[in-house]
Amino acid sequence: MTSILSDRINQMEESATLAMAKKARELKMQGIDIISLSLGEPDFKTPKHIQEAAKAAIDEGKYFSYPPVAGYQDLREAIAKKLREENKIGEAKAENIVVSTGAKHSIANVFMCLINEGDEVVIFSPYWVSYAEIIKLAGGVPVLIEGNLENNFKATASQLETAINDKTKAIIYSSPCNPTGSVFSKEELEAIAEVVKKKENLFVIADEIYELINFTGKHASIGSFPGMFERTITVNGFSKGYAMTGWRVGYICAPVSIAKACEKMQGQFTSGGTGIAQRAALAAISGDQGPSKEMEKAYLKRRDLVLGLIKDIPGFKTHIPEGAFYFFPDVTYFFGKSVDGFKVNNADDFCLYLLDKANVSLVTGEAFGAPNCVRISYAASEEELIEAMNRIKEACAKLV
Ligand code: PMP
Ligand code: GLU
């Protein structure tokens, strides 16, 4: 039967993270006691002073009309100042900033503006689920370079060098990384920058949305390196570090021509991001950073807790994540094992098994380009994490 829908949407994969979160939500609504470790979403509330700023903005009554497409000027200036002072991106000015409805929207704008049909984009894999689908939607071809468990899932500059050809238009990575929690060091990024600089018109999309959850204490922005400002689109947002997923505010810092293109794209698709949410974002970026630091500390404590619990489950192989709030263990040990007639052939089956028998939702590594792994989000309470890992351990012991 011919579909009434476009080839574009028929060819697109559903977001695996959101699909698993939806499934977990539906099971919870049926009264099943699901522990959801599938969605990459802080379990903390948005800090009070940010909430208050949004309330004050409503009371002021000034932010109910269409905001400027690229974002309020004072917010763009505050973002540029942060990038200059904290990220050492010395050239960043308000004109380089475009505020969007979440960093996902920022990334979509960037690819829609950079990619022509057939252009290649190198993705450092494992990678966040949405990169490849957005690239394909824009007509591009994702090219994966793969890190593995032994090198903390970090693909290297020399792998990048071999992947680049005449068609390569951009590269994208996240650091701290979703789904692996790995963090690129300054030296690793410098080596990547050297490769990028060898090719004209090659751009780096540096997804730094987990910047504020970094246990190494060192965050490096590739856009701050000599000669890299004009080649880098730094992506960031408020969802993770300020626990503001539902407010939907993200941004880019890009060379002016790219920033203007994204503004034009956004002007036809969504217009400026929600006014009140932007006022909250301004309070987040220019106000007290204490709550973000406290959340980072809590994530570190949970990381150590979950690390201990994972090590206690025979068959799980993991590295030690240095940021974000994910573990990404290799679970190949369980492939081929069965219980009650159900055979686990791959990571998808393993996640379905755990959802069904342990009532814990994880996300299959398949969606992140690593079919031997599963992603565990530890943005959950310590009690939930302990209970979830116990349930997983029990369910895994039954697989023979
Ligand atoms: N990049 C990465 C690596 C992410 O994990 C997410 C998760 N949501 C995003 C971008 C998009 O974030 P948001 O749209 O909530 O700002
Ligand atoms: N980025 C988060 C995740 O990876 C939120 C869901 C999404 O937007 O993909 O789970």
Side-chain angles (χ1 to χ4, degrees):
M1 202 172 63
T2 48
S3 168
I4 55 162
L5 300 177
S6 67
D7 295 344
R8 189 180 304 117
I9 192 67
N10 283 333
Q11 282 158 12
M12 185 192 270
E13 296 282 343
E14 184 179 5
S15 161
T17 47
L18 298 181
M20 202 56 171
K22 186 172 165 187
K23 206 176 266 176
R25 209 177 292 132
E26 284 166 2
L27 290 170
K28 269 189 201 168
M29 273 161 61
Q30 291 168 23
I32 302 171
D33 168 30
I34 298 287
I35 302 180
S36 179
L37 306 184
S38 45
L39 196 58
E41 165 152 80
D43 58 319
F44 296 105
K45 291 240 179 329
T46 304
K48 253 296 169 286
H49 70 282
I50 302 174
Q51 298 180 27
E52 294 303 334
K55 287 186 204 161
I58 292 177
D59 290 340
E60 262 181 85
K62 283 196 329 209
Y63 302 101
F64 300 147
S65 17
Y66 285 126
V69 173
Y72 288 121
Q73 187 64 17
D74 52 359
L75 176 57
R76 292 168 77 200
E77 274 163 17
I79 292 170
K81 179 167 180 283
K82 173 239 182 286
L83 291 171
R84 286 194 305 272
E85 291 175 2
E86 285 166 29
N87 304 76
K88 311 294 170 218
I89 304 180
E91 294 99 322
K93 295 195 203 66
E95 61 185 5
N96 303 108
I97 310 300
V98 179
V99 177
S100 300
T101 308
K104 191 182 282 189
H105 182 207
S106 303
I107 293 166
N109 280 338
V110 170
F111 283 126
M112 292 302 272
C113 291
L114 280 186
I115 302 300
N116 278 322
E117 204 65 34
D119 283 348
E120 293 186 3
V121 180
V122 178
I123 306 180
F124 284 69
S125 179
Y127 60 93
W128 178 47
V129 286
S130 295
Y131 296 157
E133 292 311 306
I134 298 174
I135 291 164
K136 286 190 264 174
L137 185 66
V141 181
V143 175
L144 304 185
I145 53 171
E146 293 176 17
N148 52 45
L149 183 63
E150 287 65 43
N151 65 4
N152 292 334
F153 293 108
K154 291 196 265 186
T156 60
S158 62
Q159 282 173 280
L160 174 63
E161 186 134 38
T162 16
I164 289 175
N165 62 45
D166 286 350
K167 290 192 180 148
T168 315
K169 187 68 189 278
I171 73 168
I172 183 164
Y173 64 81
S174 60
S175 178
C177 175
N178 178 2
T180 64
S182 297
V183 175
F184 276 128
S185 67
K186 185 162 181 266
E187 293 69 31
E188 285 161 339
L189 287 178
E190 276 168 350
I192 290 168
E194 286 316 307
V195 174
V196 169
K197 281 196 274 186
K198 285 187 200 161
K199 187 179 182 304
E200 232 183 307
N201 289 330
L202 177 62
F203 291 91
V204 179
I205 296 143
D207 184 344
E208 303 186 359
I209 195 158
Y210 292 93
E211 176 185 8
L212 301 184
I213 310 167
N214 180 339
F215 315 132
T216 70
K218 290 181 225 140
H219 175 81
S221 291
I222 201 167
S224 69
F225 297 170
M228 286 304 289
F229 182 75
E230 285 302 320
R231 288 168 168 277
T232 305
I233 297 104
T234 305
V235 176
N236 208 327
F238 295 83
S239 288
K240 315 292 174 175
Y242 298 99
M244 290 177 69
T245 47
W247 299 76
R248 312 303 306 127
V249 192
Y251 61 86
I252 54 159
C253 172
V256 170
S257 59
I258 297 174
K260 278 195 184 314
C262 289
E263 180 179 359
K264 183 172 160 191
M265 179 65 64
Q266 184 158 299
Q268 290 290 20
F269 262 69
T270 55
S271 304
T274 311
I276 301 300
Q278 287 193 49
R279 302 324 288 166
L282 179 61
I285 205 162
S286 46
D288 181 11
Q289 301 300 302
S292 296
K293 291 257 173 284
E294 287 306 313
M295 289 189 264
E296 186 182 43
K297 265 194 222 155
Y299 290 127
L300 177 57
K301 195 160 165 245
R302 293 165 181 189
R303 185 210 54 186
D304 292 341
L305 171 74
V306 176
L307 182 63
L309 297 167
I310 285 186
K311 282 190 177 153
D312 204 30
I313 306 179
F316 273 62
K317 281 190 276 178
T318 184
H319 74 304
I320 304 179
E322 296 182 310
F325 36 60
Y326 306 108
F327 272 89
F328 201 59
D330 178 306
V331 293
T332 42
Y333 172 82
F334 301 100
F335 297 177
K337 297 194 188 302
S338 317
V339 62
D340 299 336
F342 181 88
K343 188 168 176 196
V344 171
N345 288 310
N346 49 42
D348 290 13
D349 292 345
F350 186 69
C351 288
L352 286 177
Y353 172 70
L354 290 183
L355 185 62
D356 192 36
K357 291 287 182 281
N359 290 345
V360 176
S361 72
L362 308 180
V363 186
T364 170
E366 184 86 46
F368 305 95
N372 292 338
C373 300
V374 293
R375 191 187 76 173
I376 302 173
S377 163
Y378 57 88
S381 70
E382 291 182 20
E383 296 71 42
E384 279 183 305
L385 291 169
I386 293 169
E387 171 64 17
M389 298 314 290
N390 279 340
R391 289 187 194 179
I392 292 174
K393 186 178 174 186
E394 269 175 38
C396 286
K398 292 189 185 135
L399 286 167
V400 284

